[in-house]
Amino acid sequence: MLQLIPDAVGTTLRNIGNMFLYNPDEPMLFSSGFFWLLFIFFLPIYVLLKGSRGKMVLFTVVFSLYFYYKSSGLFFLMLIGTSLIDWLLSHAISRLKGCKARLAVMWLSITISLSILGYFKYANFFLWNWNQMVQGNFQPLDLILPVGISFYTFQSISYVVDVYKGRIAPTRRWLDYLFFLSFFPALVAGPIVRADYFLPQIESNRSATKDNIYGGLWLIIIGIVKKAIIADYIAQYNDLIFNDPALYTGVQTLMGVLGYTMQIYCDFSGYSDMAIGLALIMGFRLGLNFDSPYQSRNLTEFWRRWHISLSSWLRDYVYIPLGGNRKGTVRTYVNNFLTMLIGGLWHGAAWKFVFWGAMHGVGLAVHKMCKPVLSKIPDNWIVSFFSWLLTFVYVSLLWVFFRAADFESSVLIIRNIFVDFQWAQIPQFFEVRMVWCIMMLVLIVMHFVPQSWTDACGRLFVRSPWVVKWLAFLVVVQLVIEFMTEEVVPFIYFQF
């Protein structure tokens, strides 16, 4: 009996040790218990070091790199290398006097960043398409996409461009730039943080106020509700529809499409809420990333509300450099289309993402084209309702191409809705999927609650006694336990 004790202790220690090692099947997630265990130990040390900016930066960078190691393995070394190259080239840009030399160094940095992104994310896509044209025997490269590479690549590009344009000065210390690029709340799925917004916060090193801490906790709770309760639960039915669309009726398919429309919002905005909340607790602001996008009455408004950090990045670093709206009407439409095409390709190396981006580009161009006519239509509640309905239907149908396995499945799903839809099946669907339907209805109602009400709830939580905060947290934890799936579900945008 005593001989078994060392074996049991050894097994336990090995299991604990394995928890701290990278496991591709269990990446680090904000919604996982292991992350929160680490964060509980991280936070008090971070607070103690906050008085010394250098020590705080070093400690946070080490934790961020470990977080990335747990999310993407040894690719954290590539992140370190990328940051060092960017930092050195940004200083070269600031020292050079000639415009052509500075421009050449800027493009060298951008080329390096895009080459790394292109190799890991798009190499197999382009090789497959090339082989389709030449009828070759395509063998895909054995590549693993580093988590969050699209996000931090865009951050690195914006930093170098801003240094070139004189909007910011390069950081004096490489560690400060690495802090900016690897900041763990925003590292793997955004928001895409701008250097001119974030770097001054590192320099000022302000401590979080009481309102910041409780406001951050409120955002984290909201994010957990969106992701771990709503998105993960409704995803179970949505996946059935998208995995085998031929088996389901028009009503079932429509509900799956509506479900995914809400799922991707809750999943991604939930991550953003948690990221913004974590940063706020640490004394940093990341900026708003979602603003009730499904309230939009046109596509232009939708892209001002959806993934704000990406849409503003595409506007400032793609649309405006292409000429924006300064080159005439036709060129404006073309620039809109090309920008959204790039945005679609950014989301994934597949033609379905290209089509998704292209159709959003077409929609934006059509909206701008129709503005002179639309401005003459009275802006009453009927017009507002149909404008919203048209926008929501268009966005929801395009999400089908975003989610479905391929273009053929997307067409089949949309065809099912319009060809095989029977109103009589709706009560039966509600009876079978009552919890799913109730959750969807609550979500839709909450999405259309005025922002002032949501802000008031946040302020009420901040001012409430600690007992109320504790009870709110316990209720959320209990709901997560009640609705959680068998395993922690990765965030949708981890794949981008």
Side-chain angles (χ1 to χ4, degrees), residues 355-389:
F355 178 80
W356 175 82
M359 292 308 295
H360 270 283
V362 170
L364 287 169
V366 169
H367 174 246
K368 291 184 182 297
M369 192 183 304
C370 294
K371 269 188 174 181
V373 177
L374 295 174
S375 62
K376 299 177 181 179
I377 301 175
D379 189 13
N380 52 44
W381 71 269
I382 297 177
V383 174
S384 296
F385 173 77
F386 281 103
S387 298
W388 164 81
L389 183 62

Side-chain angles (χ1 to χ4, degrees), residues 273-302:
D273 288 340
M274 284 187 267
I276 295 167
L278 285 166
L280 202 56
I281 288 174
M282 295 170 63
F284 292 91
R285 295 183 178 275
L286 298 183
L288 185 67
N289 206 28
F290 287 86
D291 184 17
S292 302
Y294 294 143
Q295 291 184 15
S296 305
R297 295 187 297 172
N298 55 66
L299 274 187
T300 302
E301 183 184 355
F302 174 79

Side-chain angles (χ1 to χ4, degrees), residues 322-340:
L322 284 174
N325 56 4
R326 305 185 306 274
K327 303 289 186 177
T329 303
V330 175
R331 181 66 178 272
T332 299
Y333 301 153
V334 173
N335 291 341
N336 263 310
F337 179 78
L338 291 176
T339 300
M340 294 311 301

Side-chain angles (χ1 to χ4, degrees), residues 118 145 159 184 209 255 293 299 337 345 357 361 381 394 468 478-479:
L145 181 66
Y159 168 78
F184 71 91
T209 64
M255 295 303 176
L299 274 187
F337 179 78
L345 191 60
W381 71 269
Y394 190 80
V468 175
Q478 184 60 39
L479 287 172

Side-chain angles (χ1 to χ4, degrees), residues 8-24:
V9 172
T11 301
T12 302
L13 291 176
R14 281 193 298 272
N15 290 337
I16 293 174
N18 289 335
M19 290 176 59
F20 290 89
L21 298 176
Y22 169 63
N23 183 347

Side-chain angles (χ1 to χ4, degrees), residues 107-167:
W107 276 110
L108 174 62
S109 176
I110 293 175
T111 301
I112 292 172
S113 295
L114 291 180
S115 296
I116 295 172
L117 176 64
Y119 173 72
F120 284 101
K121 192 167 184 175
Y122 303 105
N124 280 325
F125 175 65
F126 287 116
L127 286 174
W128 181 86
N129 282 283
W130 172 256
N131 276 269
Q132 290 293 107
M133 289 188 290
V134 300
Q135 299 297 312
N137 184 20
F138 173 64
Q139 296 294 327
L141 300 175
D142 187 17
L143 297 176
I144 299 174
L145 181 66
V147 173
I149 187 172
S150 299
F151 289 92
Y152 73 71
T153 297
F154 271 23
Q155 286 192 192
S156 70
I157 290 174
S158 65
Y159 168 78
V160 172
V161 171
D162 287 350
V163 169
Y164 168 77
K165 290 183 174 293
R167 295 170 183 161

